[in-house]
């Protein structure tokens, strides 16, 4: 077993938990059902847009953005058979073609007004049958 294979479960544990917590929070708090589908990312992008339009301070939504990014990452994992990878404390998705994607950063970019979790998923899963 290689080192990468040994660290894989640890790499996925945190972001998978953040995603699951986000699903529960959105269901209970916002009455929004997130089903790990690519189309559900439309709703996530809109939720981030709403937070930005309301003038919510970034510091107040750091964990929310992390959760939304992790949720988008889990969508990519499930759609493309990708895996979570971690380096230097950062969590990214690695698709079968070897590309690295950063859905958590993309959630922050969306909050800043530039970026889309829906489009990131589309691009990351483009080569998936």
């Amino acid at each position: 077993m290689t080192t990468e294979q040994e660290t894989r479960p640890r790499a996925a544990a945190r972001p998978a938990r953040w995603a699951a917590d986000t699903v529960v929070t959105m269901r209970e708090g916002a009455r929004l059902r997130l089903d790990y589908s690519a189309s559900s990312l439309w709703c996530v992008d809109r939720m981030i847009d709403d937070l930005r339009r309301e003038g919510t301070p970034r510091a107040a939504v750091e964990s929310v953005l992390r959760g939304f990014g992790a949720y988008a990452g889990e969508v990519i994992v499930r759609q493309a058979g990708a895996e979570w990878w971690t380096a230097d404390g950062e969590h990214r998705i690695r698709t079968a073609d070897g590309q690295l994607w950063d859905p958590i950063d993309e959630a922050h970019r969306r909050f800043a007004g530039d970026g889309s979790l829906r489009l990131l998923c589309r691009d990351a899963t483009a080569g998936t049958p």
Side-chain angles (χ1 to χ4, degrees), residues 4-14:
E4 288 177 355
Q5 290 170 332
E6 291 171 352
T7 62
R8 164 60 184 121
R10 281 194 309 241
R14 283 189 175 166

Side-chain angles (χ1 to χ4, degrees), residues 16-28:
R17 182 59 164 160
W18 296 332
D21 289 347
T22 297
V23 169
V24 170
T25 300
M26 290 298 103
R27 183 180 62 234
E28 293 175 358

Side-chain angles (χ1 to χ4, degrees), residues 32-84:
L32 176 66
R33 290 190 87 64
L34 297 177
D35 61 2
Y36 293 98
S37 67
S39 62
S40 70
L41 295 175
W42 282 91
C43 295
V44 174
D45 276 346
R46 285 194 305 258
M47 295 281 295
I48 294 170
D49 292 344
D50 290 345
L51 292 169
R52 182 181 65 250
R53 275 194 295 274
E54 292 168 2
T56 309
R58 181 181 288 268
V61 294
E62 283 295 323
S63 65
V64 172
L65 295 174
R66 182 187 67 200
F68 282 147
Y71 173 77
E74 279 296 300
V75 171
I76 295 167
V77 164
R78 294 172 186 212
Q79 298 280 318
E83 290 186 312
W84 281 103

